[in-house]
Amino acid sequence: MTVAEAERDGAPGDFVRAIVGGDIAAGRTRDVVTRFPPEPNGYLHIGHAKSIVLNFGVAGEFGGRCHLRFDDTNPVKEETAFIDSIQADVRWLGYDWGEHLHFASDHFDRLYEWAEHLVREGKAYVDDSSADEIRAMRGTLTEPGTESPCRDRPAAESLDLLRRMRAGEFEEGARVLRARIDMTSGNINLRDPVLYRILRASHPRTGETWRIYPTYDFAHGQSDAIEGVTHSLCTLEFADHRPLYDWLIDNLPVPARPRQYEFARLNLAHTVLSKRRLIRLVEGGHVAGWDDPRMPTLAGLRRRGVPPAAIRDFARRIGVARADNLVDPALFDHCIRDALNDTAERRLAVLRPLKVVIENWPEGRIEMLPARNNPNDPDAGSREIPFGREIWVERDDFMEDPPRKFHRLAPGREVRLRYAYFVTCTGVEKDETGEPVLLRCTYDPATRGGDAPDGRKVRGTVHWVSAAHAVPAEVRLYDHLFSVPEPGADDDFLDDLNPDSLVVLDDCMLEPSLADPADAPVQFERQGYFRPDPDSRAGRPVFNRVVALRDSWAKIQAKGG
Ligand code: ATP
Ligand code: MG
């Protein structure tokens, strides 16, 4: 791989890649195997994308493979619908796990055998204590835990109870299987952690076969070992679980020795990424669903029109480190613009229309004017847009009494109409509140295409749509869901919702080529990137703003901020 390819495909030099590269160089690892391990209890979000891009990226760069493994150990919260949506989302992001689709539940038989193994070795026991009692015995960060009265029960008795737990003889919560490690350990995860609990729920894949289910800690490392995962990459909150991960691997007859490494989660300002909070947004009706374009879910980003390449690019640019930080969403917007700039065709659309009459243009005359589809891509060609006596322009492109730096329409001022002519504003009609409702202009016939033969310059160019041909449309403008960078930092996060996160404009005017738009993002010139929403109906398109054109990130960079 060349340096340029490495720059593009990965973040060479991050600590994960340094570890994997070192393991290969030293002969400790031959084939790199990673995994992305979602719990099927919700939709994937952009934080998960960081993990997906890392796991699939590392495997790809080192010639290895990445598994998709569902961590389906809690049937109470998990659903088949999530299993399907997660697979669709990972594919949409651009990754393929080949034949390596796995489920922790595929390994339930083996995990159970290993539970019996630990019991026989005196390294696990069945505890009859209740969940509350176990919690009370666990101790605190400063006080050691207390040993359960069941801790020294003979292995044969624990084995018998474990088998009866499995057979469904006991009520939920009546007993658990615990590892027998060290109740005085400074690491609370080593104070005889629970390995199996009774759950009387039907499992999406194993149905009623199992009455006991392994905990995350018991299932995860052992599933890694069974699948031959070499580098088990997870987020920092599992760092304290690593000694337990290693203890289980050391004390079980596992076929391989995976290692866990932790990296910092993605935290994105003005956003929440915990499933618990995302569920509250959906169930509380604060958004229109999991795929609301304001949601940080992959389903929401897809609906908004964010291309998967932008998400991959973003994940690479934020990099992988061990220190927690808060990422500015302006960086994500920048990646979206970067991905769309070269591919999105340009169109003219007026979002807040103001009527203009060109008084010296003959009634009924229509001219077709050529317009380039994409200045960055000559192959994208051009199209013709109709121009006539009445056009729509953007209300914000007119000021009756403008400051000096305003280079758009104002009484007596000349501007260029994109792809068309120079026009001069000669008059304005207002309603009783003083709002302009109609502009009168004259055009200069010598300026067709937007240049004056006498070399005369105008400072401003505005976009427009022919009134006789305009396609009325709804356009939805999105802003951050939360008005503060860290929602919920000092109150309930719902109190920080941004009341203006969605603005619906329902009398927009689009150029006629957008009457039946292709399902691809386009750039509305001077405004931003927009993608048709599935709510569109024949003759009434609905567009989502993917991202506005103004690149605040580039500005921040330029200022050296
Ligand atoms: P949540 O906190 O949203 O409930 P989770 O960690 O419980 O997320 P899982 O389905 O268990 O969700 O996550 C699958 C993988 O994605 C895990 O390896 C987890 O560490 C990783 N992951 C989850 N959230 C983030 C994030 N914000 N940044 C990076 N990785 C994440
Ligand atoms: Mg989790």
Side-chain angles (χ1 to χ4, degrees):
M1 173 159 51
T2 65
V3 173
E5 280 166 353
E7 297 267 21
R8 194 195 59 222
D9 291 330
D14 72 49
F15 81 94
V16 172
R17 286 164 169 96
I19 288 168
V20 175
D23 286 345
I24 291 174
R28 284 186 295 270
T29 301
R30 220 158 6 108
D31 300 311
V32 177
V33 182
T34 58
R35 85 285 168 268
F36 172 63
E39 188 179 352
N41 63 352
Y43 288 87
L44 295 185
H45 54 61
I46 189 158
H48 294 117
K50 171 176 180 174
S51 173
I52 295 168
V53 173
L54 174 66
N55 278 293
F56 280 91
V58 164
E61 287 154 43
F62 289 96
R65 62 174 200 263
C66 180
H67 297 186
L68 176 61
R69 175 180 341 122
F70 285 98
D71 170 28
D72 57 346
T73 51
N74 184 358
V76 179
K77 290 194 292 178
E78 295 159 6
E79 292 174 25
T80 309
F82 293 132
I83 294 176
D84 298 338
S85 75
I86 288 171
Q87 292 187 56
D89 283 350
V90 176
R91 269 204 200 91
W92 175 74
L93 250 196
Y95 298 102
D96 184 2
W97 49 90
E99 45 198 49
H100 289 285
L101 173 63
H102 300 286
F103 293 83
S105 57
D106 293 341
H107 311 313
F108 278 176
D109 284 326
R110 192 96 71 102
L111 292 171
Y112 178 77
E113 274 170 38
W114 286 341
E116 287 206 352
H117 174 89
L118 287 178
V119 172
R120 277 193 296 268
E121 301 272 302
K123 291 172 182 162
Y125 59 96
V126 169
D127 194 337
D128 310 338
S129 311
S130 69
D132 284 342
E133 287 165 338
I134 291 176
R135 204 170 304 119
M137 286 186 283
R138 195 164 46 203
T140 64
L141 285 174
T142 51
E143 288 165 52
T146 349
E147 294 186 356
S148 160
C150 302
R151 195 171 199 262
D152 291 319
R153 121 189 302 165
E157 193 180 312
S158 277
L159 200 55
D160 174 60
L161 287 169
L162 177 61
R163 289 176 178 164
R164 288 164 61 194
M165 280 166 65
R166 178 188 181 176
E169 279 188 36
F170 309 118
E171 288 308 302
E172 208 168 288
R175 292 189 161 79
V176 291
L177 179 73
R178 296 177 73 179
R180 194 169 185 282
I181 308 181
D182 180 2
M183 290 306 294
T184 65
S185 172
N187 183 330
I188 291 179
N189 291 295
L190 293 180
R191 294 182 190 169
D192 292 9
V194 172
L195 305 181
Y196 266 94
R197 67 263 200 245
I198 300 169
L199 291 175
R200 299 207 155 255
S202 176
H203 186 282
R205 301 188 76 246
T206 60
E208 319 280 317
T209 309
W210 291 91
R211 308 282 63 181
I212 57 174
Y213 290 92
T215 53
Y216 170 88
D217 284 317
F218 191 59
H220 204 89
Q222 285 45 258
S223 299
D224 286 341
I226 293 168
E227 295 172 21
V229 167
T230 54
H231 297 79
S232 185
L233 311 175
C234 62
T235 35
L236 281 176
E237 70 272 23
F238 293 104
D240 287 346
H241 294 239
R242 177 150 37 98
L244 174 57
Y245 185 103
D246 289 339
W247 186 90
L248 288 165
I249 294 289
D250 287 340
N251 284 284
L252 286 168
V254 291
R257 156 114 241 166
R259 296 228 173 240
Q260 173 183 303
Y261 300 94
E262 308 89 20
F263 61 95
R265 307 189 141 236
L266 167 65
N267 300 306
L268 196 55
H270 299 283
T271 309
V272 296
L273 289 179
S274 106
K275 273 182 233 165
R276 207 168 29 81
R277 286 177 163 190
L278 295 175
I279 287 170
R280 282 184 63 195
L281 288 175
V282 173
E283 291 184 348
H286 304 286
V287 293
W290 286 101
D291 69 345
D292 185 302
R294 291 167 294 177
M295 290 281 274
T297 52
L298 297 187
L301 297 174
R302 177 165 60 229
R303 179 164 182 178
R304 202 169 100 202
V306 174
I311 300 174
R312 296 194 300 265
D313 182 33
F314 173 65
R316 289 183 195 116
R317 289 198 208 206
I318 56 176
V320 180
R322 280 203 180 95
D324 257 318
N325 67 346
L326 187 65
V327 176
D328 186 338
L331 173 60
F332 187 39
D333 290 349
H334 178 74
C335 295
I336 299 171
R337 287 187 201 99
D338 238 27
L340 291 176
N341 186 31
D342 288 339
T343 53
E345 295 206 341
R346 273 49 171 176
R347 293 291 181 266
L348 298 188
V350 173
L351 302 188
R352 297 174 177 88
L354 172 62
K355 179 73 75 68
V356 174
V357 178
I358 300 169
E359 302 210 285
N360 57 340
W361 187 276
E363 294 274 0
R365 180 163 125 214
I366 302 298
E367 249 178 48
M368 297 304 288
L369 299 169
R372 263 172 309 161
N373 285 329
N374 188 342
N376 296 337
D377 177 8
D379 292 342
S382 63
R383 66 196 185 285
E384 299 214 307
I385 41 181
F387 184 81
R389 184 177 156 90
E390 295 200 348
I391 60 174
W392 298 107
V393 299
E394 209 69 55
R395 224 178 304 161
D396 289 352
D397 281 338
F398 171 78
M399 278 182 91
E400 191 172 13
D401 188 15
R404 215 164 42 84
K405 286 200 164 147
F406 185 83
H407 297 310
R408 294 170 262 168
L409 283 161
R413 296 238 182 131
E414 185 171 48
V415 301
R416 174 189 294 107
L417 295 177
R418 184 85 165 133
Y419 304 118
Y421 293 92
F422 286 10
V423 292
T424 303
C425 179
T426 53
V428 51
E429 284 177 21
K430 292 180 279 186
D431 65 14
E432 58 281 7
T433 69
E435 268 296 297
V437 290
L438 184 91
L439 301 185
R440 302 190 179 283
C441 288
T442 54
Y443 86 109
D444 176 354
T447 57
R448 189 176 200 267
D451 282 306
D454 61 3
R456 165 172 112 249
K457 298 275 179 250
V458 289
R459 300 292 294 273
T461 300
V462 304
H463 59 273
W464 53 273
V465 168
S466 162
H469 306 84
V471 176
E474 174 178 325
V475 172
R476 300 173 183 168
L477 306 180
Y478 302 106
D479 196 355
H480 303 320
L481 246 181
F482 295 92
S483 35
V484 301
E486 295 184 76
D490 34 40
D491 47 16
D492 182 34
F493 78 104
L494 292 175
D495 294 340
D496 295 326
L497 276 166
N498 172 9
D500 303 317
S501 61
L502 168 64
V503 173
V504 177
L505 302 174
D506 54 14
D507 61 347
C508 306
M509 298 294 171
L510 314 182
E511 67 165 75
S513 71
L514 291 173
D516 183 18
D519 182 16
V522 290
Q523 186 195 98
F524 291 173
E525 292 205 28
R526 300 180 62 227
Q527 326 223 43
Y529 294 96
F530 294 78
R531 185 220 161 192
D533 188 86
D535 284 349
S536 299
R537 283 172 284 111
R540 176 77 184 168
V542 176
F543 276 85
N544 297 315
R545 184 171 68 194
V546 190
V547 65
L549 270 191
R550 195 174 59 92
D551 194 338
S552 53
W553 178 254
K555 273 186 207 144
I556 293 164
Q557 295 287 84
K559 273 191 251 152

